[in-house]
Structure formats: structure tokens, C-alpha cells
Amino acid sequence: MNTFYRAVAPFVLLSIRCVAQITIPVETTDFAVVLQSDKDNYLHMVYCGKKLNQSVDYKDIISTYRFPSGNSGVYSNAYTPAGTWNLAEPAIQVTHSDGNPSLDLKYVSHQTVKPDANSTLTTVQLADPVYKLNVSLFYKTWQLENVIEQWSEITNQEKGPVVLQKYASANLFFPNNTFYLTSFQGQYLKEMQPTEEKLQQGIRTIDSKLGTRAMLLGTPNFIVSFDQPAQENSGTVLLGQLAWSGNYKLDFEIDSYKTLRLIAGINPYASAYTLPAGKSFRTPSLIYTISGNGTGQASRQLQRWARNYRVLDGKGDRLTLLNNWEATYFDFDETKLSGLITDTKKLGADMFLLDDGWFGNKYPRNNDDAGLGDWQENVKKLPHGIGYLVKAAKETGVKFGIWIEPEMVNPKSELYEKHPDWVIRQPERPEKYYRNQLVLDLANPQVQDFVFGVVDGLFTKNPELAFIKWDCNAVIYNAYSVWLSKNKLPQTHLYVEYVRGLYAVLERIRAKHPKVPMMLCSGGGGRGDYELLKYFTEFWPSDDTEPIERIFQQWNYSYFFPSITTDCHVTDWGKQPIKFRVDVASMGKLGFDIVVNHLKPTELEFCQQALKNYSEFKTTVWHGEQYRLASPYENPFASLMYVSANKANAVMFSYFHSSSPIFTLIK
Ligand code: GLA
């Protein structure tokens, strides 16, 4: 029999397969992922769905499937190895120290601990019976939020180095019949556009090879809906994200039995990783939540988890701000900025945020083609330095924040002249620029020190600096690291070591400056994942601030992120009245990027009142439960509601796409 059946008539199926040996339920309050070893000690994922009343019931689950002979059982493998009898997409592929490319993984042991009342951590050990290579699978659960974080650790106990050709974070298996995948693709100014498709036999891959701003063209966020297209309030859905800030690859494989295999991890493209003897490689995490009541509940679960456990200061406060980017671009000086600081106060925002253009002397940053990397105040524009502005802001009664882009360099800069070796580029080939700039080699510890120094220097010189906007505007072209080559390390480590270097810098920054809010920006929405959000309080979803388009974009981001993390600025994009623009931005963390002096008196008065109103309901927007009431994709209007945890307050936003919004504050 060539087909693999679900249990529709269990009595027919009783005698079919092996005696189950070990059953490992990974349970949250409502859901369970269940692993089970077979008679040959291979570990399978045998269940993903509603938690059963008694965990003993899971043992029988495998007997409700009918496995044909041959190698089909390998499809449900909990971490599929390559090079032996598996012919499906592998989770792991290695070349052993003796050059042998085969891997087999068998169950060895497992344990579950309870780090705190709301979580469990299950670790499963797998080992190759022939080679000394082990894999540990980790499943961390947050019970109340129904969230699972899953990652793997590969340990080389052979005598020599092992090359990891592929090293996924997670390998999931779902034996339903029909699957719908929603992925979120885009481009600059059109980030996070959803596409839903019915998965067909074969592999649907979502990936990035951009290196730095990895989410620009597509994101590692996805929705799998079981049996029907995703609904907001009904049906079983899984919402997930690979929390990795570099190249990622998500494979959704419908195998020949029409079951779904999901393999998610670092993109193996140009990234074979040589693991020395005695060393382990920890993969990034796949984070997912399951809901039996549609995407609405799933998003609320993920948003709650993010606020409570993941995002830096997720339960805290945020600063409203006036940003000068679209008001001045690079054209400003101390006098103009002092005026904008006064405008910030006049508007009633908490902070003035100074954007790009404040640095560089030999090559002044008067445009985006020079100065990046030279983080000294431009003496013409700011003769008294940043300190003067921080002080001026304090005297005016507002806080002061600043823009940096410390991972990047313009070829027209002193940094480039002094340290060409720090730059990622092919030494023998013409340089290729993205926004006139190149990326610094964060695999190099000296570059890590430099980037740390940029941030630390700003805080040390200006202890009252209240905010950092950390930008990242270039992708990696001509991937090549002088440092890796000098240290006789393979170039194929670059994409991985770059991201690890970035995390190492952020660890150091947060060890020394744990609280200061930082915004993650990437020329719009090129970055924003749950690994970086351990260090950042918020992110910039898109340079597109046209309010109608923002309604759609913010809607899409809200599947995965709580509104407290989503920075939304009122700008001059769009022709809508000021109220419409302010209302749309008030659905996230509110800011302004406008010329205050250009506002009509009535508009200024409106903004001042709007900021006062916002301070009354912002806690509900930031920390409340979000309900997506009417989708802009299905209606000529959109409606969202935020309800405080104690259900005492709610804020509802409703918009006609081409008319003024109706805004209601219910108290
Ligand atoms: C990127 C950001 C903008 C602004 C500019 C400055 O494009 O997305 O908000 O900071 O850089 O160069």
C-alpha cells in the first residue's frame, strides 16, 4: 500500500506498525507536539494538535497511522538526517571528519525540566550509532501563551572537524490532508505583503540571501492553516517565525503522502560550517504558537508572549517623539535643531530624535554618499557637539535621541581609508554598493569592538541620551571576509558569524546600558525578528507611512508583533487629513516626522490634543489584547480593537479606506 492514511477507522489499523517505545509529549495549556520513538529507536513527530486529557493517550497515536513499507516512516522524523535512507528534504546534512557524508540519528534519552511555573524545557538527545555526532533537540514551552520555542544543538565528538552542510533549527511534521500557507513578501516600501496559497506536492521555499537586512524582500514569519484557508476566529492555525537576523530558509514540503514537513533554519546557501572536534553548534530558534480558534487568538498568544517574555522592556513604557528625517533630511545645523527641540515641546512629544547627517568631517555627511563610519559630530553643523543638544533638550523639557548606522561604511569615509580590511568586499573585484555603502565585517572582533564603541561612546559622553535609532541600509554584496581568511577559517562562515557578531555586540551594549530604548530600523522594514527584539524595544516597519498603506502593513505585522514594538510616525505622506494620519499612527507607538511650523493652527492644536489623548489610552494599545475586527482586505473599511487586560478599557480604531476614520475611546 503506497499511501499513508489518517485514522478514520482505527479498528482496521490496530496491528499495523511497531510497538511504540518512548512517547514525549511537549504540552502547553491547550496544545501538544508529541514525539515518539519506534522499534528501531528513530524519533518521530507523531502529533501536533489539541492537548489530550491524559498523556498516556498519545502512546496510541502512532497506531492510528498506517505506514507503508519502505522509507516513508522517515518523513515524520523529528530531525531528518541526510545521506542514509532518507530521500526527503533533510534537516541536517554533514560531512564527517573522514569525508563520509552519511548521517543516521537515533533516540538516546530525554528529560523535561520546569524552569518556572509557566514554562517547561524538554531536551531530547539523538546520536549517530556509527559516528560520534550528537544532536540535542530543545523544546521550550510557555504554557499560558501556547508558545513553543524550538532549537537544536549539534555536537561533534569525532576526532576531527565535521562540516555542517545544513543545520536546521526545527523539523516539524503534520499529517493533515490540506494545508494553506500565508507568507509575507515584499520590497522596499512594500514590506510584509501577505500571500496565501494551498500547498501542493513539492517544496515551497521562503528564504533570504541578503545577509544583513534579511527581511526586506520576504520575512521569516508565516501562517500555516490546516484544512482550510486561515480564518480570524475559527480553525486551527500555526503562526511561526524563525528568530534569526540573517539568511534564513523555510521549506514547506508536501511529500508524496500529502503530509506537510516544515524545515526551518539558517539558510545553508554559501554557509557550510566547519565544526571543530569537541565543539557544539547551537541553531537559532523557531518560535510558534498554535490556536484552534483562528489567527486572532494565535496573534494574541504570540503578542502576549512577546510582551511578557521576549521584547526588551516589553511590559514597560515607550517615548513619543518628533523625528527630523523628513523635515530636514541632511540639511540642518545647531540653530535649526534647537528650533525643532522647541517644536517637540510645543507639540507635546516626549523626545526629539536627531536622524542621519550629524557626523563626518573630512567627508561630511551631507548626503548618503559620504561620511558613514565617521561617528564624530560634524563641526560645521554641530559646533558644540551632541552634548549641547542633549542639554538644550533637557532645558526645554524633552528627551533627546539619536540615529546611527554603525554596521556600515561609505567608501568616502576616513573609516574606509584607515581600515579597508574591515569591509566586506571581494578584494579582487569591483565594489558594488547598496545606497552608496558597504557592510563592515562583524565576524571580525575588532569590528565588533568598533561598533560597540560607537554606541558606548555616545552614552558615555552623553549619559542623558534617551534613545537610539539603529539603522541598517545595505545588503551584503561580494561576501568575503579578510578576517576569516587571515584566521584560516572558511569564507562560508561569514553569513553566520556576521549575525553572531552582531548579537555579541548587542549583548555587550545591553550588559552596560540595559534600559535605554533602541529602535531597530533597516531602511524601512528590513529587520525585526524575535532574536533582535531581545535587545531592541521597538522596530520600524517601513519607510512607507502613507496612512492607507500603513493600515494594511500594520495589520499584517500585527499577526506576529504586539503594537508596543511597532513604530508608527505621522508624516506628510498621503493626502488624508491630520486626524486620519494621527489615528493610524496611534495604533502602534506614536511618533511624528513632520515640519511642525507647517501645520495650520487648527492642525497643531489637534496634534497637541491627540498626544494628550494618546497618553490616556496608550497603555491599552501597548499592553492590551488586540482584536482584528474587520480586515481591510475583505472590506472597504478596517477595524481593530485593543482591550486592557482587566477588560476595563478598550480602544477601537475604524477606517474607511478612502474616507475619514471613526475613532472611539470606550472607558
Ligand atoms: C533609512 C531609514 C529612514 C532614515 C534614513 C536616514 O532609510 O529608514 O527612516 O533614518 O535611513 O538615512
Side-chain angles (χ1 to χ4, degrees), residues 15 47 65 72-73 157 173 234-235 244-245 249 257 261 287 306 308 359 387 439 495 572 630 644:
S15 60
Y47 182 79
Y65 300 119
S72 64
Q157 291 176 332
F173 173 78
S234 64
W244 177 246
S245 318
K249 185 162 188 262
Y257 304 100
R261 308 175 66 248
I287 292 161
N308 289 342
F359 48 87
V439 180
Y495 288 122
D572 284 333
S644 64

Side-chain angles (χ1 to χ4, degrees), residues 505-570:
V505 169
L506 291 165
E507 276 294 322
R508 283 169 70 187
I509 292 171
R510 284 314 184 186
K512 199 158 170 201
H513 311 283
K515 281 258 163 199
V516 190
M518 293 207 299
M519 169 204 217
L520 182 59
C521 178
S522 185
R527 274 180 173 175
D529 64 73
Y530 279 124
E531 200 56 38
L532 279 176
L533 285 171
K534 283 178 175 171
Y535 308 101
F536 288 84
T537 47
E538 52 216 77
F539 71 95
W540 184 234
S542 177
D543 277 356
D544 179 4
T545 49
E546 199 283 327
I548 301 282
E549 286 170 22
R550 266 293 176 130
I551 291 172
F552 287 83
Q553 261 186 350
Q554 290 170 206
W555 180 274
N556 296 328
Y557 276 107
S558 80
Y559 284 107
F560 304 94
F561 300 99
S563 61
I564 191 168
T565 60
T566 319
D567 284 336
C568 304
H569 293 179
V570 177

